[in-house]
């Protein structure tokens, strides 16, 4: 059987190790990762190899040559462009000889039994067999669900935690029948997991998954890279490591290696011609070929590249050191540090924990390095979260980080194009919006600076001002330490997941081009933007109906920017209004939970005291509203969404489609049946709600937290428009909020948080799917079990080690019972996994 080795990866998240070499050539246990893959294939009799190259191909070809020195035959194919995983294999269709062949990544460390997977593939007469394994953290990988026979029923590429339906993941090892290549277009970007496999699954082809119990690790991050070495040292994987075994202390040393008898060494691997001088202490380390370690040096849990020299009396803790380093005497390197290739570290230097040093850098004698010696120092696997980019201002999100993010975003937009930038009124938001602008300007992107303006207005104006995207910076509504950054596209919508990935790829890779001084972007200050929004706003509602109704309302602006424009709109509609907190005050933008509840209580009191028709609290960002009825009763988020949905169904006669999140009330579906509406269930995320709302058939979307979208006006949250639309619907029906609430049958919601270690989330989701797969379940966002009279939802949170459990029923005891059912499942499965590990 032939094998196709995918060796074209960029290795972005392994920077700075991959600055000078392609990812497959990064050494693990003193051999390139790809060499371990070649040895695995040879072990199972697969010696006819096709290697697909893209990044720095000459380094791979010069090392492996024709494969003779490794006991295999290698044919290389250099990709013309990045056609994706399946597209790259399609490119070698004419040199694949056998009916069945294997595809494997060059950058994994594994001892999976390929023979068993091949036998499984042949016995099932499978078109595609995906080799699977089970992992503690499935987020970075493709989730796969199979039936009892191994037939794949569902898979999802790189899910969020709420989409983790199993801990069984795609290893990137595939067995394919050659006929499936006919389904891949030539010279086009086409991916196995995102494109080919869904087509095969949809068309009913034989696509199976074979679960392997062997060791497997995708060495995708620096922490995974170091951990793979620790696993090799501890014997978790069976690799052919060169060298002589020194019994008793788990030491392997290559040819011509010398370790002084005075050294204290255990659980370590040494390459060829290594020289360890007197009184060294080395534990849980891998030292490359031709390295020298000076007297009385301490190394622990670290990886040292070949041809490096470490001086005497140094200490290196749990770090990664590249090749050809020259480290002086008395140097300290803290835990989590990475020093890349061909660097010189002076005598007495201190490299603090988690510092990254790019290649070819010199650190002077006695220097104390507390910040990374690169353009920036943020190196997490992802920067986007559920609500955009959120972090501690000046700690996690620094001006340097923001500038680089602005440059990465600008690079996805393109030189000479224009984006919109806005913020709230806080001084920190002003600082970071300017930092992001500087980054975007540096790659030749122009800026429309809207200053402190609600994000909804800037979204709406995207087309008017020919904006190709936008940035909004704001303080977190409930935590004064946090900053939130939103990026949106040319339609004013939050970036799609694909758009986020493009920004992240450029952010981490840092290969965007800074323009020359003559091509630097320009800043413009648009005028009449508020007037354009106001005109569009008033044209999209029934002004006469609202004026005739003569509403009296109370509005709390939360000291946000909405107070700069909304009073004028309210005035044009003949509404008698009382305006609270309608001035900009940066010290009061963020509210604690207690302050927020007090604001609602104050709103309620004023509504009752002046006999208003209703009260509205608009959040400081201008996106969400919180409703108080004419009796002064504040309406919870679930009921408010049900109310807004009901009013839409009663008043809209044409576009009869609404979108609501997975945890919305069952009353919405009941009303939809009464009024012949279609309800589309979506993930509980603003991005997904906006994405669904962009469909021309959708009239309304909303969440359970006061965010509402009226797609014809703008497929994004807008608290000001939602307020007036609520008044319009009440006017058309000649009704009140209190009256309409009587049409909503009471239900009971339960919400619980169940602690759960992150590494068990995927396992528990798989157990849920296995237990309830024959029942009425939805696997859209977590797992939702629909039962007579109610439902229960288990949702693994994206941040934090716990599950959220939601349930709803007509009877309180039933809602509690359903919630307890899922909580009991989680606790039992947690104990089951803990017991199996201990035993």
């Amino acid at each position: 059987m032939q094998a196709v080795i995918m060796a074209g990866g960029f290795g972005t998240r392994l920077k700075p190790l991959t600055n000078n070499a392609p990812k497959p050539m990064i050494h693990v246990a003193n051999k390139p990762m790809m060499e371990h893959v070649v040895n695995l294939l040879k072990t199972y009799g697969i010696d006819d190899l096709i290697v697909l190259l893209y990044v720095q191909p000459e380094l791979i070809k010069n090392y492996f040559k024709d494969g003779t020195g490794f006991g295999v035959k290698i044919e290389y194919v250099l990709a013309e462009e990045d056609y994706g995983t399946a597209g790259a294999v399609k490119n070698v269709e004419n040199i694949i000889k056998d009916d069945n062949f294997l595809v494997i990544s060059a950058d994994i460390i594994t001892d999976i039994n390929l023979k068993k997977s091949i036998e499984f593939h042949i016995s099932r007469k499978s078109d595609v067999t995906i080799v699977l394994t089970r992992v503690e953290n499935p987020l970075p990988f493709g989730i796969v669900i199979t039936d009892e026979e191994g037939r794949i029923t569902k898979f999802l590429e790189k899910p969020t935690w709420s989409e983790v339906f199993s801990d069984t993941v795609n290893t990137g090892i595939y067995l394919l029948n050659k006929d499936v290549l006919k389904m891949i277009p030539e010279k086009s970007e086409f991916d196995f997991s995102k494109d080919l496999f869904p087509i095969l699954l949809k068309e009913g082809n034989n696509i199976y998954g074979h679960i392997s119990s062997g060791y497997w690790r995708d060495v995708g991050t620096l922490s995974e890279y170091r951990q793979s070495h620790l696993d090799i040292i501890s014997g978790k994987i069976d690799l052919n490591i060169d060298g002589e075994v020194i019994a008793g202390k788990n030491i392997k040393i290559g040819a011509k290696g010398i370790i002084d008898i005075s050294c204290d060494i255990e659980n370590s691997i040494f390459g060829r011609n290594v020289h360890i001088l007197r009184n060294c202490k080395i534990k849980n380390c891998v030292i490359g070929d031709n390295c020298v370690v000076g007297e009385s040096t301490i190394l622990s849990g670290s990886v040292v590249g070949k041809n490096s020299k470490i001086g005497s009396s140094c200490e290196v803790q749990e770090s990664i050191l590249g090749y050809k380093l020259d480290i002086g005497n008395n140097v300290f390197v803290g835990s989590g540090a990475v020093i890349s290739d061909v660097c010189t570290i002076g005598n007495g230097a201190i490299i603090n924990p988690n510092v990254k040093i790019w290649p070819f850098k010199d650190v002077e004698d006695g220097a104390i390095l507390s910040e990374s010696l690169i353009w920036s120092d943020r190196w997490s696997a992802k920067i986007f979260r559920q609500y955009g980019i959120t972090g501690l201002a000046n700690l996690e999100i620094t001006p340097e980080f923001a500038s680089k993010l602005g440059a990465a975003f600008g690079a996805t937009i393109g030189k000479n194009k224009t984006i919109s930038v806005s913020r709230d009124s806080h001084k920190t938001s002003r600082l970071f919006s300017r930092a992001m602008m500087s980054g975007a300007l540096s790659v030749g992107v122009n800026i429309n600076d809207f200053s402190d303006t609600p994000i909804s207005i800037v979204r709406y104006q995207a087309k008017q001002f020919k904006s190709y995207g936008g940035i909004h910076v704001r303080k977190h509504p409930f935590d004064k330490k946090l900053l939130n950054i939103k990026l949106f596209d040319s339609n004013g919508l939050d970036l799609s997941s694909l758009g986020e990935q493009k920004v992240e790829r450029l952010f981490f890779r840092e290969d965007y081009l800074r323009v020359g001084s003559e091509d630097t972007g320009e800043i413009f200050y648009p005028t009449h933007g508020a007037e354009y929004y106001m005109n569009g706003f008033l044209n999209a509602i029934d002004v006469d109906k609202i004026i005739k109704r003569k509403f009296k309302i109370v509005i709390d602006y939360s000291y946000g920017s909405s107070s700069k424009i909304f009073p004028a709109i309210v005035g044009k509609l003949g509404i008698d209004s009382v305006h609270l907190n309608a001035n900009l005050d940066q010290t009061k933008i963020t509210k604690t939970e207690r302050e927020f509840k007090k604001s609602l209580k104050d709103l309620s009191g004023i509504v009752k005291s002046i006999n208003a028709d209703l009260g509205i609290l608009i959040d400081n960002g201008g996106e969400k509203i919180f409703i108080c009825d004419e009796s002064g009763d504040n309406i919870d988020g679930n009921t408010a969404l049900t109310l807004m949905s009901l009013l839409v169904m009663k008043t809209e006669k044409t576009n009869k489609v609404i979108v609501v999140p997975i945890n919305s009330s069952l009353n919405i579906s009941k009303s939809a049946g009464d009024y012949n509406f279609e309800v589309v269930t979506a993930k509980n995320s603003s991005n997904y709600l906006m994405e669904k709302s962009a469909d021309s058939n959708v009239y309304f979307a909303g969440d359970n937290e006061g965010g509402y979208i009226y797609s014809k006006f703008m497929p994004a949250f807008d608290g000001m428009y939602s307020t007036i639309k609520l008044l319009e619907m009440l006017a058309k029906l000649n009704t009140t909020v209190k009256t309409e609430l009587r049409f909503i049958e009471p239900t009971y919601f339960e919400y619980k948080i169940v602690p759960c270690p992150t590494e068990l989330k995927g396992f528990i989701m798989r157990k849920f799917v296995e237990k309830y797969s024959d029942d009425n379940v939805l696997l859209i966002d977590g797992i939702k079990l629909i039962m007579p009279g109610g439902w229960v939802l288990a949702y693994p949170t994206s941040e934090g080690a716990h599950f959220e459990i939601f349930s709803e029923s007509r009877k309180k005891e039933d809602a509690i019972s359903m919630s307890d059912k899922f909580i009991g499942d989680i606790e039992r499965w947690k104990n089951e996994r803990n017991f199996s590990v201990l035993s």
Side-chain angles (χ1 to χ4, degrees):
M1 178 178 284
Q2 282 180 296
V4 177
I5 300 179
M6 311 289 286
F10 286 97
T12 302
R13 292 176 296 155
L14 277 180
K15 283 185 174 242
L17 300 182
T18 50
N19 278 26
N20 297 320
K23 186 178 176 185
M25 292 301 294
I26 300 303
H27 281 217
V28 171
N30 297 329
K31 291 181 181 179
M33 282 191 270
M34 181 171 153
E35 186 173 343
H36 293 300
V37 171
V38 169
N39 288 337
L40 176 73
L41 294 171
K42 187 177 67 172
T43 298
Y44 291 102
I46 303 172
D47 55 10
D48 188 354
L49 312 181
I50 302 168
V51 177
L52 305 185
L53 304 174
Y54 189 58
V55 179
Q56 296 176 283
E58 67 285 351
L59 292 180
I60 296 175
K61 292 172 72 173
N62 291 342
Y63 184 85
F64 288 98
K65 298 183 171 56
D66 64 358
T68 303
F70 300 89
V72 296
K73 173 192 170 187
I74 297 178
E75 183 171 357
Y76 299 98
V77 177
L78 178 61
E80 303 167 5
E81 295 182 34
D82 184 2
Y83 291 128
T85 53
V89 175
K90 175 71 173 182
N91 201 34
V92 297
E93 182 177 12
N94 62 325
I95 57 176
I96 295 174
K97 308 166 190 172
D98 303 326
D99 291 339
N100 293 288
F101 66 98
L102 183 142
V103 175
I104 188 168
S105 298
D107 49 13
I108 58 175
I109 300 299
T110 182
D111 60 4
I112 279 175
N113 189 322
L114 296 178
K115 181 181 178 181
K116 289 184 178 179
S117 296
I118 293 169
E119 290 173 348
F120 177 91
H121 175 75
I122 300 299
S123 68
R124 294 295 195 278
K125 297 181 179 180
S126 178
D127 296 311
V128 173
T129 298
I130 303 174
V131 180
L132 308 174
T133 191
R134 287 177 173 150
V135 297
E136 291 182 345
N137 180 12
L139 281 185
F141 314 113
I143 301 297
V144 180
I145 298 176
T146 62
D147 63 18
E148 294 178 354
E149 295 183 356
R151 189 182 294 272
I152 291 174
T153 59
K154 187 179 182 69
F155 56 84
L156 186 64
E157 182 71 6
K158 294 185 179 178
T160 62
W161 267 120
S162 65
E163 296 170 314
V164 172
F165 306 124
S166 175
D167 59 351
T168 307
V169 302
N170 178 355
T171 64
I173 304 173
Y174 310 128
L175 289 150
L176 292 90
N177 186 286
K178 189 175 179 180
D179 286 343
V180 303
L181 297 181
K182 297 174 183 177
M183 306 181 74
I184 303 172
E186 293 186 6
K187 307 296 182 183
S188 299
E189 187 172 340
F190 209 73
D191 189 78
F192 280 122
S193 296
K194 294 177 183 176
D195 301 306
L196 179 62
F197 296 162
I199 291 173
L200 293 173
L201 197 61
K202 184 178 180 181
E203 295 187 359
N205 290 73
N206 290 328
I207 178 166
Y208 285 87
H210 181 248
I211 301 174
S212 171
S213 59
Y215 179 94
W216 176 86
R217 186 175 290 276
D218 176 15
V219 187
T221 65
L222 294 169
S223 61
E224 293 279 352
Y225 176 76
R226 197 176 69 84
Q227 185 61 49
S228 68
H229 286 85
L230 297 177
D231 290 346
I232 292 167
I233 291 169
S234 65
K236 290 183 179 180
I237 176 174
D238 182 18
L239 283 186
N240 182 23
I241 305 298
D242 297 333
E244 178 186 352
V245 176
I246 298 178
K249 291 194 174 183
N250 189 24
I251 298 171
K252 183 167 279 194
I253 183 167
K256 299 182 180 180
I258 300 174
I259 300 176
D260 191 271
I261 195 169
S262 63
C263 294
D264 179 9
I265 297 177
E266 61 183 77
N267 299 325
S268 295
I269 297 171
F270 299 89
R272 295 186 298 273
N273 198 34
V274 167
H275 195 179
I276 311 298
L277 302 187
R278 292 185 303 167
N279 298 319
C280 289
K281 294 183 179 180
I282 300 177
K283 296 184 179 181
N284 298 312
C285 291
V286 175
I287 313 294
D289 297 345
N290 307 312
C291 286
V292 177
V293 179
E295 296 180 3
S296 303
T297 284
I298 300 172
L299 303 177
S300 59
S302 297
V303 181
V304 181
K306 62 184 180 180
N307 301 316
S308 290
K309 178 184 176 183
I310 302 175
S312 62
S313 301
C314 295
E315 182 174 358
V316 179
Q317 303 174 343
E318 299 177 338
S319 297
I320 300 170
L321 309 185
Y323 72 86
K324 289 187 179 178
L325 299 186
D326 187 357
I327 297 178
N329 302 324
N330 299 299
V331 171
F332 173 81
V333 181
S335 177
V338 179
I339 305 176
S340 192
D341 310 326
V342 201
C343 289
T344 300
I345 311 297
N347 295 324
I350 296 175
I351 312 300
N352 278 328
N354 300 313
V355 164
K356 276 76 175 176
I357 302 178
W358 251 225
F360 306 104
K361 297 290 189 296
D362 292 336
V363 177
E364 296 180 354
D365 291 352
I368 300 175
L369 202 59
S370 299
E371 295 184 358
S372 296
L373 214 54
I374 51 175
W375 287 303
S376 70
D377 60 357
R378 185 178 175 90
W379 291 97
S380 60
K382 283 182 69 66
I383 55 176
F384 287 91
R385 301 295 183 225
Q386 186 175 3
Y387 300 105
I389 301 162
T390 300
L392 294 167
N394 275 328
L395 292 173
E396 294 175 328
I397 298 179
T398 64
E400 296 81 8
F401 171 91
S403 177
K404 180 181 165 186
L405 178 62
F409 179 53
T412 68
I413 301 297
K415 181 181 170 183
N416 296 326
K417 293 182 179 177
T418 302
I419 63 173
S420 300
V421 178
S422 58
R423 57 177 173 82
D424 65 23
S425 61
H426 199 277
K427 60 184 179 182
T428 303
S429 302
R430 180 171 62 247
L431 162 66
F432 284 99
S433 69
R434 289 179 177 176
M436 291 201 66
M437 283 195 285
S438 70
L441 293 168
S442 74
V443 295
V445 172
N446 299 318
I447 305 289
N448 281 330
D449 184 5
F450 287 94
S451 188
D452 53 336
T453 302
I455 188 174
S456 54
I457 296 179
V458 182
R459 289 185 193 274
Y460 184 81
Q461 295 172 149
K463 292 183 179 179
Q464 169 70 10
F465 289 95
K466 297 180 180 178
S467 175
Y468 287 86
I471 299 168
H472 186 79
V473 183
R474 62 189 179 190
K475 287 298 294 294
H476 193 279
F478 299 114
D479 191 331
K480 294 181 179 181
K481 297 178 183 178
L482 295 179
L483 191 76
N484 178 242
I485 300 172
K486 283 275 194 180
L487 303 183
F488 52 89
D489 63 19
S490 58
N491 295 313
L493 305 181
D494 287 357
L495 285 187
S496 65
S497 57
L498 181 60
E500 292 179 349
Q501 289 170 18
K502 287 181 178 179
V503 173
E504 286 181 338
R505 191 158 56 240
L506 286 175
F507 179 91
F508 288 122
R509 197 186 300 163
E510 300 190 52
D511 60 358
Y512 42 79
L513 294 177
R514 310 278 188 177
V515 299
S517 60
E518 296 303 314
D519 294 320
T520 301
E522 295 186 65
I523 302 178
F524 304 100
Y525 300 93
T527 57
H528 308 298
E531 289 87 344
Y532 172 72
Y533 171 82
M534 187 183 300
N535 290 336
F537 189 116
L538 295 172
N539 288 332
I541 60 171
D542 192 333
V543 174
D544 292 338
K545 284 281 187 187
I546 296 173
I547 291 175
K548 288 178 182 177
R549 178 63 184 266
K550 296 181 180 179
F551 283 105
K552 178 192 258 188
I553 66 173
V554 181
I555 306 172
D556 185 335
Y557 291 90
S558 303
Y559 302 100
S561 301
S562 300
S563 61
K564 295 168 63 176
I565 184 171
F566 199 39
I569 294 175
V570 171
K572 287 181 179 292
L573 296 172
I575 298 170
D576 184 5
S577 54
V578 174
H579 301 270
L580 309 176
N581 305 319
N583 58 301
L584 299 180
D585 187 339
Q586 63 174 315
T587 66
K588 297 180 179 178
I589 286 176
T590 300
K591 285 184 171 71
T592 64
E593 184 177 0
R594 182 177 179 181
E595 289 169 338
F596 177 72
K597 289 180 178 179
K598 183 179 184 301
S599 293
L600 289 177
K601 184 177 179 181
D602 292 343
L603 178 67
S604 170
I606 295 172
V607 167
K608 286 191 290 186
S609 66
I610 67 169
N611 294 317
D613 293 299
L614 74 159
I616 297 289
L617 187 148
I618 304 178
D619 77 336
N620 65 72
E623 291 190 292
K624 300 192 175 187
I625 63 172
F626 303 90
I627 305 168
C628 174
D629 68 20
E630 62 267 33
S631 299
D633 294 330
N634 291 306
I635 304 172
D636 67 84
N638 284 294
T639 305
L641 176 59
T642 306
L643 169 70
M644 297 293 268
S645 301
L646 176 63
L647 292 172
V648 165
M649 293 176 195
K650 286 186 173 184
T651 55
E652 174 57 26
K653 306 302 180 185
T654 306
N655 288 41
K656 294 196 165 192
V657 181
I658 68 171
V659 180
V660 294
I662 189 76
N663 60 341
S664 58
S665 174
L666 54 86
N667 279 320
I668 294 176
S669 296
K670 179 180 180 300
S671 296
D674 295 338
Y675 293 97
N676 195 28
F677 259 72
E678 179 186 350
V679 177
V680 176
T681 303
K683 292 186 65 177
N684 187 27
S685 159
S686 59
N687 293 42
Y688 284 87
L689 288 171
M690 290 182 193
E691 184 180 308
K692 295 285 187 183
S693 299
D695 188 325
S696 59
N697 294 319
V698 173
Y699 182 81
F700 169 80
D703 64 20
N704 291 314
E705 298 171 347
Y708 309 112
I709 298 171
Y710 291 86
S711 305
K712 285 189 176 180
F713 176 65
M714 177 174 58
F717 295 129
D718 186 343
M720 293 180 287
Y721 190 79
S722 297
T723 298
I724 300 303
K725 198 66 182 174
L726 171 58
L727 297 179
E728 179 198 70
M729 293 186 294
L730 293 174
K732 284 183 176 180
L733 297 171
N734 193 27
T735 187
T736 67
V737 170
K738 198 76 170 180
T739 300
E740 292 305 311
L741 289 174
R742 295 190 183 115
F743 291 102
I744 299 173
E745 187 175 347
T747 61
Y748 296 90
F749 276 89
E750 281 290 312
Y751 172 72
K752 296 287 179 64
I753 293 177
V754 185
C756 175
T758 299
E759 62 270 19
L760 295 186
K761 288 180 181 177
F763 166 73
I764 286 173
M765 284 301 295
R766 171 165 60 86
K767 299 294 285 186
F768 268 124
V769 172
E770 289 173 353
K771 180 175 180 179
Y772 297 108
S773 59
D774 294 333
D775 296 320
N776 189 4
V777 296
L778 292 176
L779 298 177
I780 294 173
D781 211 14
I783 178 169
K784 182 176 183 178
L785 176 62
I786 301 171
M787 305 171 70
W791 55 265
V792 58
L793 169 70
Y795 182 93
T797 56
S798 57
E799 298 178 16
H802 57 267
F803 270 76
E804 290 181 313
I805 307 296
F806 303 85
S807 64
E808 182 194 21
S809 184
R810 304 290 181 197
K811 297 180 180 179
K812 185 173 183 178
E813 57 269 26
D814 290 343
I816 294 173
S817 174
M818 289 188 293
S819 177
D820 288 346
K821 179 183 180 70
F822 267 22
I823 292 171
D825 286 336
I826 292 172
E827 294 296 346
R828 184 172 65 258
W829 292 327
K830 280 164 53 180
N831 292 333
E832 175 185 320
R833 171 53 68 91
N834 289 336
F835 176 77
S836 66
V837 171
L838 290 172
S839 60

